[in-house]
């Protein structure tokens, strides 16, 4: 059964293929499905944004769809950058967003620099049935960017003594917020299959 991922990000599509094709889905990106709309993320939560994207594409395609939304929540900044992670402070690139976070945390001590990444996934089955799940990974914010892998806030997100930009992509993909959300979705889909 065809499953459209509401994204054209190659890394995301690869990750979703690996976990969902064994369940019998034939995974295609939004552009491979011939859908060229860009849904505006007007929601105030990750869950709202992923539902908005999934429903917009389901309405056009009437085909199974998966949409996600993700970002970084920093406790000392009351959850910022949150849903604004991709456009925090109006900055136009990752390096400026990272610098902004570090400057806001400059007087915050080690034990108060806790943070987590969140990923929500909204899945709509061929028949219109919807499943929403969330995954998280907990860590803390470092004092300067470190490492060359990853993207976004990875160089300052410290997990198990290293930044997310210092560990191999496979390692990040096994513990990340996205991986945890996807595992929760696969569990729900598998439960449904076994129920019939
Ligand atoms: P989106 O869900 O792909 O729209 O991502 C939203 C934004 O959150 C990205 O542009 C990044 O700034 C941030 N973000 C989400 N996931 C990650 C991650 O795994 N590493 C680093 N930054 C991330």
């Amino acid at each position: 059964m065809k499953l459209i991922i509401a994204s054209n990000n190659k890394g995301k599509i690869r990750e979703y293929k690996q976990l969902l094709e064994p369940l019998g889905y034939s995974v295609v990106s939004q552009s491979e499905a011939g859908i060229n709309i860009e849904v505006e993320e007007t929601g105030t939560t990750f869950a709202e944004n992923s539902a908005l994207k999934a429903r917009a594409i389901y309405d056009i395609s009437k085909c199974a769809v998966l949409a996600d939304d993700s970002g970084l929540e920093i406790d000392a900044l009351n959850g910022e950058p949150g849903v604004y992670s991709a456009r925090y402070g109006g900055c136009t690139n990752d390096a400026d967003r990272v610098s902004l976070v570090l400057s806001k945390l400059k007087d915050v001590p080690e034990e108060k620099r806790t943070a987590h990444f969140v990923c929500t996934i909204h899945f709509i089955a061929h028949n219109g049935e919807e499943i929403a799940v969330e995954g998280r990974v907990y860590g803390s914010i470092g004092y300067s960017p470190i490492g060359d892998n990853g993207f976004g806030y990875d160089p300052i997100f410290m997990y198990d003594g290293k930044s997310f930009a210092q560990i191999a992509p496979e390692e990040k993909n096994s513990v990340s917020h996205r991986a945890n959300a996807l595992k929760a979705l696969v569990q729900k889909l598998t439960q449904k299959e076994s129920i019939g």
Side-chain angles (χ1 to χ4, degrees), residues 43-54:
T44 55
T45 62
F46 296 110
E48 271 173 39
N49 282 335
S50 41
L52 274 175
K53 287 188 272 188

Side-chain angles (χ1 to χ4, degrees), residues 160-177:
D160 218 7
K162 285 186 184 158
S163 84
F164 256 9
Q166 284 181 297
I167 62 176
E170 304 79 55
E171 200 180 335
K172 179 185 165 192
N173 290 343
S174 67
V175 298
S176 76
H177 46 317

Side-chain angles (χ1 to χ4, degrees), residues 2-68:
K2 187 159 99 171
L3 172 65
I4 303 171
I5 309 294
S7 167
N8 290 316
N9 176 312
K10 289 204 175 90
K12 270 191 194 176
I13 308 290
R14 193 180 328 115
E15 219 176 307
Y16 285 127
K17 269 191 180 184
Q18 275 167 4
L19 277 140
L20 294 169
E21 293 203 333
L23 296 183
Y25 291 100
S26 142
V27 170
V28 294
S29 69
Q30 201 178 306
S31 63
E32 281 166 342
I35 297 172
N36 295 315
I37 56 162
E38 175 120 12
V39 182
E40 242 191 290
E41 297 186 2
T42 53
T44 55
T45 62
F46 296 110
E48 271 173 39
N49 282 335
S50 41
L52 274 175
K53 287 188 272 188
R55 287 178 190 143
I57 290 174
Y58 182 77
D59 287 347
I60 298 173
S61 66
K62 293 289 180 253
C63 178
V65 179
L66 181 158
D68 68 15

Side-chain angles (χ1 to χ4, degrees), residues 22-176:
L23 296 183
Y25 291 100
S26 142
V27 170
V28 294
S29 69
Q30 201 178 306
S31 63
E32 281 166 342
I35 297 172
N36 295 315
I37 56 162
E38 175 120 12
V39 182
E40 242 191 290
E41 297 186 2
T42 53
T44 55
T45 62
F46 296 110
E48 271 173 39
N49 282 335
S50 41
L52 274 175
K53 287 188 272 188
R55 287 178 190 143
I57 290 174
Y58 182 77
D59 287 347
I60 298 173
S61 66
K62 293 289 180 253
C63 178
V65 179
L66 181 158
D68 68 15
D69 196 29
S70 59
L72 176 67
E73 294 190 325
I74 300 172
D75 297 316
L77 302 180
N78 297 316
E80 283 185 11
V83 288
Y84 305 106
S85 291
R87 47 200 148 123
Y88 192 40
C91 301
T92 52
N93 62 67
D94 283 340
D96 287 353
R97 283 184 281 272
V98 160
S99 299
L100 177 61
V101 166
L102 290 176
S103 69
K104 289 199 177 205
L105 291 181
K106 74 177 180 340
D107 298 322
V108 177
E110 178 81 45
E111 70 278 8
K112 294 205 172 128
R113 299 175 77 93
T114 48
H116 54 269
F117 278 118
V118 183
C119 175
T120 55
I121 291 180
H122 201 91
F123 174 88
I124 307 183
H126 182 71
N127 66 3
E129 201 179 325
E130 305 193 6
I131 300 177
V133 290
E134 182 186 285
R136 291 182 175 209
V137 59
Y138 288 86
S140 65
I141 303 300
Y143 292 90
S144 57
I146 175 162
D148 298 319
N149 296 332
F151 70 102
Y153 300 94
D154 281 345
I156 53 168
F157 186 78
M158 305 304 292
Y159 177 82
D160 218 7
K162 285 186 184 158
S163 84
F164 256 9
Q166 284 181 297
I167 62 176
E170 304 79 55
E171 200 180 335
K172 179 185 165 192
N173 290 343
S174 67
V175 298
S176 76

